[in-house]
Amino acid sequence: MNDSAAQPDATVRLADYRPPAWRVRRVELVFDLAVDATVVTARLHLQCERDEPLHLDGEELELLDISLDGRALAATEYRLDARGLTIPGARDGSMLETRVRIAPAQNTALSGLYLSGSHDSGFLLTQCEAQGFRRITFFPDRPDVLAQYTVTLRADAARFPVLLAGGGPDGTGTLPDGRRWARFVDPYPKPSYLFALVAGHLEKIERAYRTAEGREVSLRIYAEADAIDGCGYAMDALERAMRWDERVYGRNYDLAIFNVVATHDFNMGAMENKGLNIFNAKYLLADPETTTDDEYRHIEAVIAHEYFHNWSGNRITCRDWFQLSLKEGFTVFREQQFCADMQSAALQRIDEVGTLRRVQFPEDAGPLAHPVRPAEYTAIDNFYTATVYEKGAELVRMLAGRLGALRFRRGTDLYFTRHDGQAATIEDLLAALGEANDLDLSPYLAWYAQAGTPCVTAQGDYDASTRRYTLTLAQQTAPTAGQPEKSPLPIPVRLALFACDGRRLPLHLQGEPASVGDECVLELTQREQRFVFTDVDARPVPSLLRGFSAPVQWQYACSPRELALLLRYESEGYDRWNAGQQLAAAAYDALHAGAQDRSALDAWCATLADLFEADTAQLDPALLADMLAAPSAIELGARHDPLDPERVHAAREAIEDALAIRLGEVLPARYHALRQSESGALDAPAQARRRLQGRVLALLLRADPPFGAALAMKQYEQAQTMTDRLAALAALVRAGAAQAEQALHDFRARYDGKPLVLDKWFALQAQAPTREALARVQLLADDPAFSLHNPNRVQALLGAFARGNPVGFHRPDGAGYHYIADRLIEIDALNPQNAARLAKAFESWHRLEPQRRAAALLALREIESHSGMSRDLADILARMRD
Ligand code: BES
Ligand code: ZN
């Protein structure tokens, strides 16, 4: 009954959800670990919920033995195909035992059990989310099957001195054949995607932690010997995250050991396996010589994110993969709150909104658009998207904002207690948040079901005779694939009104008895609504959607003068920055259109020049640094259909050049002042100083290229931190300075053997905005430090090129597309998830101007015509072409 013929890839629909017909309450796993062949013995204690034959998922498993209730099954008593195993004879209470063989060293997909590092000295590890457990053993591999895991690892002690699995240790010993065994029991029922093991040569650092509830926990971070010294910062960050979750959400850790392991071979950033988090080394390892300030912040964020999943994801998990944002959106939001508390809240918000606009908005506007809770999928790996994560986090933020901190906490407390140990849905979260506060939050569910970014338009009218200011807000969402009709959504619009002297006006909303203060939140629920403010002395300048109170696009016909006023006077850092971005976009629009009107550009440059020269004590240097940059080429490119990315880049360059020239004379003095105070310290003021210094240096290279390049070279050579060294190198490369080659050469030699540092070197060159960058990328792909097998390398070189180089990737001759298409085919044969991620770089191909569009289509056809494509890549291509 063995039939391994490939089946067509089925679409899975949320509407078809049914609870599992079979559950596994307890599972005992025994691993006989070896690099080339590992044997996995699984005993499943089965519970039948519905009269259906037992089906277990399983992929690429070599079945060695199978028995039911102690009796070996004949080949006629089960059915085996490429998707799994069906056993008609299983009964409620049966115990099924299977033995399978898998080949970790052959597993280049990095899903399931695989080898990290070399055959002789690397270590074994697992990655199971979303559907990797089925590549380890036969199992109902779905998140609503919660089981207690007992895991025994058996291995040669010399080759695998460290053996780890989730839960708590439950004995070790030596087998008659001399191998070691170690057993682990996890008392918390969990879905299979949270299973993990690690085995090999690893060092550890350890710290004792006592939870607020009084539990003693041993925090352990493991890495290979040459990396263990880089784990200290992550340990500090972990402790901060644990304290924060105790204080802000009342959540304590719940096992005696918390393990974290770093690997260089990982598809994602990190993974929250119960009691055994596994990290991509780039989000864990840090040392002052090679880690940039941005990377320090990322490490803290990812450590916190995975730790927070212990409650939002593990103790309460997802009923099915459609609910992915229940754990990811919520956990990203928690991580963002934590980061805002650890550093400047304004900078954190700028980062978040930037990511949303650069990554999520384009996704929502293109053929891959999907709701935060998708209605269907064929490859779930492809739904770990900016929409599920970042937009999902914005939805939780709206709910939290609607409730306020105290009531939100009451709501999350109810959610965590009510659903502890369960596999929950997004409705469950909204119901708990609402019921704890006698509120109906169900209107917000529509946000989870509707794809596309709403566009909100505002129109303000001031009537001097009645002293009334009328704000008309309207919303509209463009159709997306499969969703032609869109409904209005509840949109909270936070706003303040500014007088022309920069003061905030007290707000009197018509119909409200008293003043609502100098800020309020309007809730737009209809397609169009009118809000009237009374007792307004003079025509105000509205600051709308403060703090980015909803994930929407915004259209308000603000004059350059009004935006400049907000850029100058907004009290909130994010809103001030945002006003500057809007002003820069207006300047860009005029330039791109070839218009004579320079009023926006002049207003942007003049206001920034004033701020730059004003008393610096008032303005965080990091915020100033961010204000001195134009919106990204991707954000600006979103304003055009058809799109010529090279022309967008050129117009963007022109406005940054204009700013640099306007600031020209004051740049050198400021640069030198900033450099003088360099200490190499890691605290926020030192980081802010470096950020501004990097920005000023980049502007200097525009204002006075030879002088700027000389300064950059000096900064490169004398840098005390990687932040300063990399900023200098980036500025040289971007400017195409003559010294760039020498610095690049030095960098390559200086950091030879440090792959995570060389990734920055790859990425910089891949993003150099010239058509020749393609030839450079081709050359770099032959560097011995590069490998198509490693996801970090692929993202650093090819991902940076395809997503971050508007000129090189989008060469009008199509050579950039063609090159990436060829690499995609090679990568797909090794690692489908990695290929599918890179393929998304084509997501906006349909909006390109005709010549590029035709070239991109040709490249996509080339990939499609390749035989043996993975399900992940095929799904992305099919949806991009619809
Ligand atoms: N659960 C995910 C990791 C994951 C995603 C594993 C998809 C397998 C498939 C983890 O919690 C996560 O979200 N990691 C992020 C980083 C985080 C800081 C947003 C990642 O890996 O990018
Ligand atoms: Zn996550």
Side-chain angles (χ1 to χ4, degrees):
M1 282 175 50
N2 286 355
D3 157 28
S4 52
Q7 292 148 340
D9 293 326
T11 299
V12 187
R13 292 193 175 74
L14 170 58
D16 295 341
Y17 174 81
R18 293 191 71 190
W22 290 82
R23 293 186 189 276
V24 177
R25 294 293 184 190
R26 236 160 25 88
V27 52
E28 293 145 45
L29 299 171
V30 179
F31 288 81
D32 288 293
L33 292 165
V35 170
D36 292 307
T38 287
V39 174
V40 186
T41 308
R43 293 162 148 239
L44 276 48
H45 299 270
L46 296 161
Q47 182 177 317
C48 184
E49 305 277 345
R50 236 182 9 251
D51 188 18
E52 271 177 31
L54 171 69
H55 178 80
L56 302 174
D57 301 299
E59 280 174 15
E60 297 191 28
L61 306 173
E62 183 191 346
L63 182 60
L64 302 175
D65 290 305
I66 177 165
S67 68
L68 190 63
D69 299 317
R71 183 179 68 79
L73 292 183
T76 50
E77 292 178 288
Y78 60 91
R79 220 167 32 244
L80 182 64
D81 65 23
R83 293 285 176 78
L85 189 58
T86 307
I87 303 148
R91 299 285 167 263
D92 186 38
S94 281
M95 198 278 282
L96 178 78
E97 181 168 324
T98 60
R99 231 159 50 89
V100 303
R101 181 157 44 214
I102 53 183
Q106 307 295 308
N107 182 352
T108 59
L110 313 188
S111 162
L113 179 69
Y114 65 95
L115 172 68
S116 174
S118 74
H119 190 276
D120 293 338
S121 64
F123 64 97
L124 294 177
L125 75 161
T126 54
Q127 169 56 39
C128 292
E129 189 178 2
Q131 297 180 334
F133 193 69
R134 63 187 62 184
R135 293 161 59 86
I136 294 173
T137 192
F138 289 104
F139 200 80
D141 192 12
R142 45 187 285 173
D144 55 357
V145 172
L146 306 180
Q148 270 187 26
Y149 283 68
T150 299
V151 179
T152 307
L153 307 181
R154 310 200 295 202
D156 180 82
R159 179 66 185 83
F160 300 102
V162 173
L163 299 173
L164 302 173
D170 188 47
T172 61
T174 306
L175 294 165
D177 62 9
R179 291 182 303 152
R180 292 282 298 168
W181 65 267
R183 181 169 303 125
F184 303 84
V185 175
D186 189 344
Y188 296 96
K190 69 186 173 197
S192 51
Y193 81 87
L194 290 174
F195 165 83
L197 75 81
V198 169
H201 292 281
L202 294 163
E203 306 281 323
K204 76 161 181 289
I205 61 169
E206 193 167 1
R207 187 175 293 181
Y209 181 94
R210 188 186 160 88
T211 67
E213 288 169 348
R215 180 191 294 273
E216 300 294 343
V217 183
S218 171
L219 310 179
R220 299 172 180 177
I221 303 186
Y222 291 83
E224 285 169 300
D226 62 347
I228 195 67
D229 290 342
C231 298
Y233 179 78
M235 182 67 92
D236 294 342
L238 175 59
E239 206 177 328
R240 287 195 288 276
M242 294 176 78
R243 287 286 169 236
W244 186 91
D245 212 17
E246 290 170 354
R247 183 165 56 78
V248 178
Y249 281 87
R251 298 295 114 201
N252 284 240
Y253 189 60
D254 54 5
L255 287 168
I257 300 176
F258 186 70
N259 292 309
V260 175
V261 178
T263 170
H264 283 279
D265 301 281
F266 206 67
N267 278 337
M268 303 293 295
M271 178 64 208
E272 71 266 26
N273 315 300
K274 182 77 188 189
L276 178 48
N277 286 6
I278 296 180
F279 274 64
N280 187 325
K282 90 168 156 184
Y283 293 120
L284 191 99
L285 303 180
D287 81 83
E289 317 249 285
T290 61
T291 305
T292 64
D293 295 341
D294 284 344
E295 289 171 322
Y296 274 109
R297 286 189 294 110
H298 289 149
I299 291 167
E300 182 168 58
V302 182
I303 284 274
H305 178 103
E306 305 311 336
Y307 172 72
F308 295 158
H309 269 315
N310 191 56
W311 276 94
S312 50
N314 300 3
R315 287 287 286 261
I316 292 103
T317 193
C318 301
R319 187 192 73 174
D320 53 69
W321 291 119
F322 298 101
Q323 320 296 326
L324 182 57
S325 198
L326 176 68
K327 76 177 177 80
E328 294 302 347
F330 187 16
T331 303
V332 170
F333 174 65
R334 277 152 53 68
E335 164 210 330
Q336 292 174 346
Q337 288 180 297
F338 168 73
C339 293
D341 279 2
M342 293 298 115
Q343 45 139 13
S344 145
L347 285 188
Q348 174 64 23
R349 194 68 186 131
I350 288 171
D351 247 34
E352 290 158 16
V353 175
T355 306
L356 208 69
R357 289 184 179 149
R358 270 192 319 275
V359 190
Q360 200 277 324
F361 282 10
E363 182 169 88
D364 233 355
L368 299 179
H370 55 275
V372 172
R373 179 163 62 187
E376 56 179 54
Y377 63 78
T378 57
I380 189 59
D381 291 340
N382 290 335
F383 282 86
Y384 288 76
T385 60
T387 298
V388 168
Y389 275 65
E390 269 72 35
K391 186 175 178 179
E394 292 299 320
L395 303 191
V396 179
R397 181 181 299 271
M398 276 198 291
L399 295 166
R402 170 81 180 73
L403 295 175
L406 268 167
R407 293 193 301 172
F408 183 63
R409 169 67 189 270
R410 220 185 283 154
T412 57
D413 281 352
L414 179 61
Y415 170 71
F416 287 128
T417 43
R418 182 187 274 177
H419 296 290
D420 190 10
Q422 296 179 3
T425 62
I426 284 167
E427 279 85 354
D428 292 332
L429 175 63
L430 267 62
L433 295 178
E435 283 172 36
N437 296 292
D438 286 320
L439 274 171
D440 175 17
L441 296 174
S442 60
Y444 282 85
L445 273 174
W447 271 102
Y448 286 89
Q450 187 161 290
T453 308
C455 183
V456 177
T457 52
Q459 155 85 37
D461 292 299
Y462 181 65
D463 182 342
S465 63
T466 57
R467 298 170 62 234
R468 287 178 169 203
Y469 180 70
T470 305
L471 196 62
T472 308
L473 300 177
Q475 58 169 307
Q476 185 248 326
T477 305
T480 55
Q483 277 189 342
E485 304 294 334
K486 302 288 182 181
S487 317
L489 299 171
I491 299 178
V493 178
R494 257 178 75 191
L495 70 87
L497 299 181
F498 283 79
C500 54
D501 60 0
R503 275 183 312 113
R504 272 200 263 164
L505 299 170
L507 304 178
H508 305 269
L509 256 177
Q510 193 177 47
E512 306 259 336
S515 164
V516 291
D518 60 6
E519 182 192 70
C520 70
V521 181
L522 304 177
E523 194 164 88
L524 174 63
T525 56
Q526 318 288 311
R527 284 192 200 280
E528 186 173 312
Q529 261 165 282
R530 192 163 290 204
F531 301 90
V532 179
F533 295 90
T534 57
D535 305 315
V536 186
D537 286 336
R539 185 177 174 80
V541 176
S543 179
L544 300 166
L545 211 72
R546 291 183 105 208
F548 199 70
S549 58
V552 299
Q553 305 243 36
W554 194 249
Q555 260 176 29
Y556 174 69
C558 253
S559 70
R561 213 176 34 79
E562 290 173 316
L563 288 172
L565 181 126
L566 295 179
L567 173 55
R568 195 180 292 274
Y569 294 117
E570 243 298 358
S571 50
E572 301 298 312
Y574 160 79
D575 297 289
R576 202 167 180 186
W577 168 82
N578 189 48
Q581 294 287 291
Q582 285 178 264
L583 190 50
Y588 161 90
D589 282 342
L591 223 101
H592 186 273
Q596 293 302 312
D597 179 10
R598 294 259 164 160
S599 58
L601 185 60
D602 290 342
W604 187 55
C605 294
T607 312
L608 286 178
D610 283 354
L611 294 175
F612 192 82
E613 290 170 61
D615 176 16
T616 50
Q618 290 181 31
L619 188 54
D620 175 6
L623 182 59
L624 177 60
D626 285 6
M627 296 197 317
L628 294 172
S632 70
I634 295 180
E635 285 164 76
L636 296 172
R639 307 163 87 82
H640 307 284
D641 188 356
L643 164 69
D644 175 347
E646 200 173 79
R647 219 180 118 200
V648 172
H649 172 73
R652 182 182 183 279
E653 289 292 287
I655 64 165
E656 285 210 341
D657 284 348
L659 176 62
I661 288 162
R662 177 70 174 75
L663 293 174
E665 285 173 5
V666 295
L667 291 172
R670 176 60 78 83
Y671 177 77
H672 288 299
L674 289 162
R675 269 211 76 185
Q676 300 257 289
S677 45
E678 166 64 350
S679 65
L682 261 180
D683 52 55
Q687 291 198 20
R689 194 205 52 71
R690 281 192 288 272
R691 192 154 164 149
L692 182 56
Q693 182 188 313
R695 193 62 211 140
V696 171
L697 180 65
L699 290 167
L700 264 167
L701 262 130
R702 291 179 186 275
D704 184 348
F707 177 65
L711 286 182
M713 200 59 203
K714 202 147 114 210
Q715 175 172 323
Y716 174 84
E717 283 161 355
Q718 299 174 351
Q720 295 181 50
T721 63
M722 182 54 79
T723 305
D724 279 354
R725 177 158 290 142
L726 201 69
L729 186 64
L732 289 167
V733 172
R734 296 221 125 231
Q739 296 95 319
E741 287 312 316
Q742 188 198 332
L744 284 168
H745 189 78
D746 173 87
F747 196 95
R748 177 69 184 81
R750 198 186 278 255
Y751 302 107
D752 191 34
K754 300 200 158 145
L756 295 176
V757 187
L758 293 184
D759 279 348
K760 304 184 247 242
W761 179 81
F762 283 124
L764 267 186
Q765 299 175 76
Q767 288 172 305
T770 67
R771 293 186 181 181
E772 290 68 47
L774 173 61
R776 174 68 67 124
V777 169
Q778 288 171 319
L779 214 70
L780 289 170
D782 290 330
D783 190 297
F786 184 77
S787 164
L788 283 182
H789 279 83
N790 183 281
N792 288 354
R793 297 304 90 71
V794 168
Q795 288 313 312
L797 184 64
L798 306 180
F801 176 67
R803 283 211 173 264
N805 195 329
V807 183
F809 177 58
H810 293 286
R811 279 165 59 127
D813 64 1
Y817 306 143
H818 182 73
Y819 176 72
I820 292 296
D822 283 351
R823 298 292 81 72
L824 268 171
I825 292 167
E826 293 171 352
I827 297 165
D828 191 44
L830 298 168
N831 186 333
Q833 286 182 36
N834 202 23
R837 178 160 5 142
L838 184 58
K840 288 184 180 181
F842 284 96
E843 78 180 341
S844 301
W845 72 273
H846 60 283
R847 271 197 310 120
L848 293 166
E849 51 78 24
Q851 187 186 350
R852 288 180 172 86
R853 184 188 151 108
L857 186 56
L858 213 64
L860 289 173
R861 287 221 186 99
E862 182 198 332
I863 309 169
E864 283 163 350
S865 67
H866 189 76
S867 61
M869 208 192 318
S870 71
R871 181 211 304 221
D872 288 11
L873 184 56
D875 168 57
I876 292 285
L877 292 176
R879 286 191 287 134
M880 283 199 305
R881 293 275 262 110
D882 274 348

